[in-house]
Amino acid sequence: MAIDRVGVIGAGTMGNGIAHVFARSGCDVILCDVEQRLLDRGIETIAKNLDREVARNKIASDDKSATLRRITTVLERARLADCDLVVEAATERFEIKADIFRDLDRVMKPDVILASNTSSISITKIGALTKRPDKVIGMHFFNPVPVMKLVEVIRGLATSQTTFETVRDLALKLEKTPVEVNDAPGFVSNRVLMPLLNEAMFAVMEGVATPQAVDEVFKLGMAHPMGPLTLADFIGLDVCLDIMRVLQDGLGDPKYRPCPLLIKMVDAGWLGRKSGRGFYTY
C-alpha cells in the first residue's frame, strides 16, 4: 500500500517534527490537534526549523515553501479519514492514547495503519483497543525529529509482518534508520536511558553533586553531548516521570522507582526547558 497522505495527531514538539519530516519527504500531511493555537504554534516551529535547514544549505528555499504547502491543519479527527497512515504523537498517558486510538479505529478505513510515537507504552495494549491490532505499531521518533536518525519500530504481539515492513520502508523513505524492537515497557531506548536520568536525579537529591557537576562528569568522562540532567530538562521532567511510572508498573521492579525530587519538581510545575525551570533555569 502506497503511503502518500499521512495524518499526525498532536502538534507539539514531537508531532510538528514528525509532520515536518513527512512533508519534507513529499507526503501530504494532515496535522490535527485540539486547539487552533497549538496548530499555529506547530506550523510556526516547522517554518523556523525549515529556515535553519535552508541556512545550512540542507534544502533550497523553494523546498521550504513546498513543504509547508503540503501541511494542512485540522481540529477534527474525522478530517483524517482519507489518510493512508496516522501517527499519534499525543501526551505520554495511556488514557489519552486509548481515546485517540478508539476514535481512529472508528474513523479510518480498515486497511489503514495506526502508529504511535509512544516512548514507553505497550503497543499490544493500544492495539487491543482496536479492531485492527495487526495494523497497530510503534513508530518512536527522537527529538529533534528533523535531525535525529533513529526510529524505533515496535511490534505489538498482534502486529503483522506486512505492517512492520510498510513502516520500516516508510522510515527509510524519511531518511531515518529504523531499528526493530519488540514490545516491552520503555522498549530499548527509555528502558536504558530513563533509569540513568533517574539515578542522576538521586545523586543531586542526596547531595552527591550539583546538577552542573553531574552533567560535567558525563560530558567530559563519557563523551555524552549533553549531561543527563540537561537532557531530562530537554525531554521534559513530566515526560520523564510518566515514563518512569510506566517502567515501574510494567516491570514491577523497585529499581524503576521515580526519584522523589523528580516528583516534587513536576508537582511544582518545574518541567524543564518548556516551562523555563527544571534542574536549570531557562
Side-chain angles (χ1 to χ4, degrees):
M1 176 180 174
I3 307 294
D4 298 316
R5 190 174 179 85
V6 175
V8 178
I9 293 185
T13 300
M14 297 305 296
N16 70 59
I18 293 166
H20 177 145
V21 296
F22 272 110
R24 190 179 60 190
S25 74
C27 292
D28 291 324
V29 176
I30 310 297
L31 181 60
C32 180
D33 213 320
V34 293
E35 294 182 41
Q36 188 60 46
R37 66 179 182 84
L38 300 176
L39 292 166
D40 293 342
R41 187 189 305 163
I43 294 295
E44 181 181 343
T45 299
I46 293 169
K48 287 179 180 177
N49 289 335
L50 288 167
D51 282 335
R52 290 191 186 98
E53 292 180 334
V54 172
R56 294 170 185 169
N57 294 317
K58 292 187 174 181
I59 62 171
S61 57
D62 288 348
D63 294 329
K64 173 194 171 181
S65 301
T67 297
L68 290 172
R69 282 198 300 271
R70 293 189 192 104
I71 303 173
T72 302
T73 61
V74 300
L75 294 171
E76 303 84 19
R77 292 176 196 159
R79 299 274 301 276
L80 302 170
D82 291 332
C83 292
D84 304 314
L85 175 142
V86 178
V87 181
E88 167 272 317
T91 303
E92 194 70 355
R93 299 284 178 87
F94 176 74
E95 297 77 12
I96 292 172
K97 294 184 186 297
D99 174 71
I100 290 170
F101 273 81
R102 289 191 190 101
D103 204 21
L104 288 176
D105 191 44
R106 177 183 61 80
V107 168
M108 306 306 298
K109 291 174 285 189
D111 59 339
V112 170
I113 293 172
L114 306 180
S116 176
N117 182 58
T118 179
S119 57
S120 63
I121 295 170
S122 170
I123 298 301
T124 300
K125 191 173 179 180
I126 292 172
L129 300 169
T130 74
K131 296 176 181 177
R132 65 183 85 199
D134 59 315
K135 294 181 175 62
V136 175
I137 193 165
M139 198 175 189
H140 179 208
F141 292 83
F142 289 74
N143 186 29
V145 179
V147 176
M148 301 295 279
K149 292 296 184 183
L150 175 63
V151 176
E152 278 185 313
V153 182
I154 304 110
R155 292 176 180 265
L157 185 63
T159 304
S160 71
Q161 182 66 18
T162 299
T163 297
F164 169 77
E165 290 175 357
T166 299
V167 170
R168 177 200 61 198
D169 293 347
L170 185 57
L172 292 170
K173 177 184 176 182
L174 300 177
E175 299 182 349
K176 303 298 184 185
T177 301
V179 175
E180 180 181 357
V181 178
N182 288 320
D183 194 19
F187 317 129
V188 171
S189 57
N190 281 323
R191 182 168 179 169
V192 176
L193 174 63
M194 284 299 156
L196 168 64
L197 306 190
N198 198 53
E199 197 63 29
M201 296 171 195
F202 269 109
V204 172
M205 185 184 78
E206 294 168 5
V208 177
T210 64
Q212 293 85 349
V214 171
D215 281 350
E216 284 297 291
V217 167
F218 279 86
K219 288 191 291 182
L220 301 180
M222 287 77 170
H224 289 202
M226 68 174 73
L229 300 171
T230 300
L231 179 57
D233 276 356
F234 182 70
I235 293 168
L237 299 185
D238 52 336
V239 176
C240 293
L241 179 57
D242 287 342
I243 295 171
M244 286 304 301
R245 284 174 168 159
V246 168
L247 292 172
Q248 184 182 34
D249 293 345
L251 297 170
D253 192 316
K255 72 180 180 182
Y256 298 109
R257 175 175 68 99
C259 177
L261 177 58
L262 171 62
I263 296 170
K264 278 186 180 180
M265 292 174 74
V266 172
D267 286 346
W270 298 1
L271 308 182
R273 184 178 291 273
K274 63 188 174 185
S275 71
R277 184 167 184 178
F279 285 93
Y280 299 94
T281 300
Y282 301 89

